[in-house]
Amino acid sequence: MAKTNHFMELALAEARSAGARGEVPIGAVLVLGDAVIAKAGNRTRELNDVTAHAEIAAIRMACEALGQERLTGADLYVTLEPCTMCAAAISFARIRRLYYGAEDPKGGGVDNGVRFYRQPTCHHAPEVYSGMAERDAADILREFFQLKRVEN
């Protein structure tokens, strides 16, 4: 299994854990070289914090672990296209590469919506690779929301 697949599998596991906690099932893994430096799932409901997206949580954890505000050279694997808030945080953290699974036509900020990295005011744009484990990521989300509709 390629390293990129391994890291996305870890992100998918974080998404499943988030879903099991009742959170929207999105997972993120930050990697520096061959080492995982942070991994997280959504915790917005648990923490009553609209900024507690998987990407933001992973960035915070990685910055704390490394004792720095920038993550130059790090790669982020996330199961869903980041929203504009997360895209901005990825830019400000100077993350090198972004790999994401499923597109988010309604809330995405990378290849949909505002397309943050294409704006002239964006100071740093990571290399973006979409569609990694797209079907698995989309299935996790679809199953979560189908179950929520049945419960309500």
Side-chain angles (χ1 to χ4, degrees):
M1 180 184 310
K3 288 179 187 172
T4 53
N5 290 336
H6 169 70
F7 297 134
M8 186 55 85
E9 284 298 325
L10 294 175
L12 290 165
E14 288 295 322
R16 289 183 190 99
S17 293
R21 293 190 307 272
E23 301 280 355
V24 174
I26 300 169
V29 173
L30 258 163
V31 177
L32 190 57
D34 290 333
V36 172
I37 52 175
K39 55 186 181 173
N42 272 2
R43 293 192 178 276
T44 58
R45 293 173 187 252
E46 175 187 340
L47 300 176
N48 295 312
D49 179 354
V50 297
T51 69
H53 290 196
E55 302 95 320
I56 300 288
I59 288 169
R60 287 177 177 158
M61 293 163 70
C63 288
E64 185 174 337
L66 297 174
Q68 59 194 41
E69 66 180 278
R70 300 264 167 91
L71 301 171
T72 306
D75 297 336
L76 177 65
Y77 296 80
V78 63
T79 57
L80 184 67
E81 176 185 355
C83 68
T84 303
M85 173 183 70
C86 292
I90 291 163
S91 175
F92 293 141
R94 303 296 193 264
I95 290 171
R96 178 178 64 170
R97 292 186 191 114
L98 167 64
Y99 299 89
Y100 74 82
E103 280 198 4
D104 187 355
K106 289 183 180 179
V110 177
D111 291 319
N112 291 283
V114 302
R115 296 179 172 103
F116 186 82
Y117 303 131
R118 296 180 193 159
Q119 300 306 311
T121 54
C122 179
H123 297 293
H124 169 77
E127 295 174 30
V128 177
Y129 302 91
S130 61
M132 181 178 282
E134 181 175 16
R135 178 171 286 159
D136 293 334
D139 286 348
I140 291 169
L141 286 159
R142 189 170 15 288
E143 291 166 12
F144 175 81
F145 286 113
Q146 283 174 346
L147 183 59
K148 287 291 179 193
R149 283 191 288 278
V150 169
E151 290 174 356
N152 293 329

